[in-house]
């Protein structure tokens, strides 16, 4: 089986009749790890279908129980959140001590491709619980729902905590070898840009009376309303003129789902002040 691919939610959302409408999805965090899988009697493999020698030592753990189908997971390293650092360590050779910090976050178990996901996940829960190993952990769902608004809210909450996004798995969807369709979708921030802060807008609801969004300008003069700040940042930057001046006029790094055809940004979110930059993006 070739690894299944996730469809970008926003591409499906732009269609006149999105195929996900009316279908129930199980919602998981999208871990910023290294995709891996293991088939019975075979070594742990990466998405490009090559062995991962730096975690060969984990094969024996999985062979104890996961022997009937394909186990699919994210390879993570304790204490390491930066993907480039994780990638460098996992690319090293057999015996590298740093890879001994690896653990696996399990999110699918495919005994054959005609089993719907909700049943695959039930089997996965049984397997992980039976294995009972601290290096083998279960991806836990946030929700099971057909509500698009709920998916988007969970994605925003996850982004606010610094995570990459969410994965949507259709409850009754089958595993599609090498396919990209609405059975498996992801909502993540795809674009990273540096923009110039030129103003602020007051918030509404929860953020009434404090900073709601930053007004950020690109090189063509387009203004983008950016959210995603912490509560502490919102209150601090809104409180006094001196604090406003500490952010207005600064270049900030933002992430967004995509750049639209009209140049606007979908779901732009603040990440940090770029103290090292005075230039900003989008020509």
């Amino acid at each position: 089986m070739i690894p299944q691919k996730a469809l970008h939610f926003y591409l499906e959302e732009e269609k006149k009749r999105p195929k996900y409408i009316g279908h129930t999805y199980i919602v998981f965090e999208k871990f910023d790890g290294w995709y891996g899988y293991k088939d019975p009697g075979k070594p742990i493999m990466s998405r490009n279908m090559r062995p991962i020698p730096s975690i060969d030592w984990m094969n024996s753990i999985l062979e104890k129980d996961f022997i009937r189908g394909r186990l699919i997971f994210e390879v993570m390293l304790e204490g390491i959140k930066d993907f480039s650092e994780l990638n460098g360590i996992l690319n090293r050779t057999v015996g590298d001590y740093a890879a001994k910090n690896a653990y696996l976050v399990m999110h699918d178990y495919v005994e054959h491709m005609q089993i719907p996901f909700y049943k695959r996940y039930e089997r996965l829960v049984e397997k992980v619980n039976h294995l009972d190993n601290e290096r083998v952990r279960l991806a836990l769902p946030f929700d099971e729902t057909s509500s698009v608004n709920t998916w988007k809210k969970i994605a925003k909450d996850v982004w606010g905590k610094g995570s990459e996004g969410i994965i949507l798995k259709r409850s009754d969807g089958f595993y599609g070898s090498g396919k990209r369709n609405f059975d498996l979708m992801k909502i993540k921030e795809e674009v990273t840009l540096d923009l110039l802060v030129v103003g602020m807008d007051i918030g509404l609801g929860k953020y009434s009376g404090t900073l709601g969004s930053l007004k950020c300008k690109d090189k063509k003069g387009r203004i983008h309303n950016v959210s995603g700040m912490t509560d502490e940042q919102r209150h601090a930057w809104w409180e006094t003129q001196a604090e406003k001046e500490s952010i207005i006029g600064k270049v900030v790094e933002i992430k967004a789902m995509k750049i639209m055809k009209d140049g606007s940004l979908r779901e732009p979110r603040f990440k940090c002040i770029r103290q090292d930059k005075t230039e900003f993006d989008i020509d």
Side-chain angles (χ1 to χ4, degrees), residues 13-63:
E13 187 182 34
E14 289 174 353
K15 297 178 180 179
K16 290 184 178 179
R17 295 183 179 86
K19 292 182 179 180
Y20 58 71
I21 297 295
H23 290 282
T24 297
Y25 286 78
I26 303 178
V27 186
F28 297 89
E29 180 177 347
K30 187 181 187 306
F31 295 95
D32 194 14
W34 208 0
Y35 177 100
Y37 67 91
K38 179 172 170 55
D39 293 329
K42 303 291 184 180
I44 294 174
M45 309 288 280
S46 65
R47 181 178 289 280
N48 61 9
M49 307 177 73
R50 295 179 182 176
I52 310 176
S54 60
I55 55 171
D56 270 349
W57 59 274
M58 300 197 78
N59 281 305
S60 60
I61 296 175
L62 301 182
E63 284 293 349

Side-chain angles (χ1 to χ4, degrees), residues 53 68 72 83 121 137-138 168 184 231 265 278:
R68 293 186 178 180
I72 304 172
F83 180 78
Y121 187 74
R137 306 172 190 179
L138 186 66
L168 302 164
L184 177 65
D231 288 354
L265 300 173
T278 57

Side-chain angles (χ1 to χ4, degrees), residues 198 216-224 280-283:
V198 295
C216 299
K217 184 172 71 172
D218 63 35
K219 286 184 177 179
K220 285 194 173 179
R222 290 175 294 229
I223 302 298
H224 307 273
F280 51 102
D281 295 330
I282 308 187
D283 293 325

Side-chain angles (χ1 to χ4, degrees), residues 30-273:
K30 187 181 187 306
F31 295 95
D32 194 14
W34 208 0
Y35 177 100
Y37 67 91
K38 179 172 170 55
D39 293 329
K42 303 291 184 180
I44 294 174
M45 309 288 280
S46 65
R47 181 178 289 280
N48 61 9
M49 307 177 73
R50 295 179 182 176
I52 310 176
S54 60
I55 55 171
D56 270 349
W57 59 274
M58 300 197 78
N59 281 305
S60 60
I61 296 175
L62 301 182
E63 284 293 349
K64 292 178 181 177
D65 198 40
F66 295 112
I67 57 174
R68 293 186 178 180
R70 172 169 291 185
L71 183 67
I72 304 172
F73 45 82
E74 291 291 317
V75 183
M76 310 290 288
L77 293 174
E78 296 282 8
I80 296 178
K81 295 183 178 181
D82 181 74
F83 180 78
S84 61
E85 185 178 358
L86 179 146
N87 186 61
I89 292 171
L90 293 178
N91 265 317
R92 295 173 190 169
T93 56
V94 178
D96 187 286
Y97 179 75
K100 295 296 182 182
N101 291 330
Y103 63 94
L104 310 178
V105 181
M106 309 292 183
H107 54 80
D108 207 343
Y109 181 55
V110 186
E111 291 177 284
H112 63 77
M113 291 192 292
Q114 295 307 305
I115 300 177
F117 176 69
Y118 77 92
K119 288 188 176 180
R120 303 201 308 267
Y121 187 74
E122 288 175 358
R123 289 281 289 142
L124 179 66
V125 172
E126 292 174 6
K127 291 287 188 179
V128 172
N129 288 340
H130 183 263
L131 191 61
D132 190 26
N133 189 294
E134 65 175 3
R135 295 293 175 184
V136 181
R137 306 172 190 179
L138 186 66
L140 299 175
F142 289 111
D143 204 344
E144 184 172 0
T145 177
S146 61
S147 169
V148 176
N149 287 336
T150 300
W151 303 344
K152 291 180 177 180
K153 181 182 184 304
I154 294 172
K156 287 184 178 181
D157 291 343
V158 166
W159 290 331
K161 295 175 183 177
S163 295
E164 187 177 4
I166 62 171
I167 288 288
L168 302 164
K169 295 193 175 189
R170 187 161 69 96
S171 294
D172 58 354
F174 300 125
Y175 189 82
S177 177
K179 294 181 180 178
R180 180 180 276 119
N181 59 33
F182 77 105
D183 287 339
L184 177 65
M185 300 188 294
K186 59 185 176 182
I187 301 179
K188 61 173 289 189
E189 297 165 318
E190 304 285 347
V191 179
T192 301
L193 297 166
D194 295 325
L195 302 178
L196 181 68
V197 180
V198 295
M200 300 179 176
D201 280 334
I202 191 169
L204 300 172
K206 176 183 177 181
Y207 296 117
S208 178
T210 189
L211 173 61
S213 61
L214 295 173
K215 300 179 77 66
C216 299
K217 184 172 71 172
D218 63 35
K219 286 184 177 179
K220 285 194 173 179
R222 290 175 294 229
I223 302 298
H224 307 273
N225 292 316
V226 175
S227 61
M229 297 73 67
T230 66
D231 288 354
E232 291 76 13
Q233 288 168 331
R234 291 175 188 273
H235 299 325
W237 291 336
W238 190 259
E239 193 167 318
T240 67
Q241 185 60 35
E243 292 296 337
K244 286 182 171 65
E245 291 173 358
S246 72
I247 183 66
I248 294 176
K250 293 290 179 30
V251 173
V252 296
E253 178 182 299
I254 68 97
K255 284 192 174 183
M257 286 179 64
K258 66 177 294 188
I259 301 175
M260 308 295 282
K261 290 181 180 179
D262 62 0
S264 63
L265 300 173
R266 174 166 290 184
E267 299 288 348
R269 298 180 66 79
F270 171 85
K271 291 301 172 183
C272 64
I273 299 175

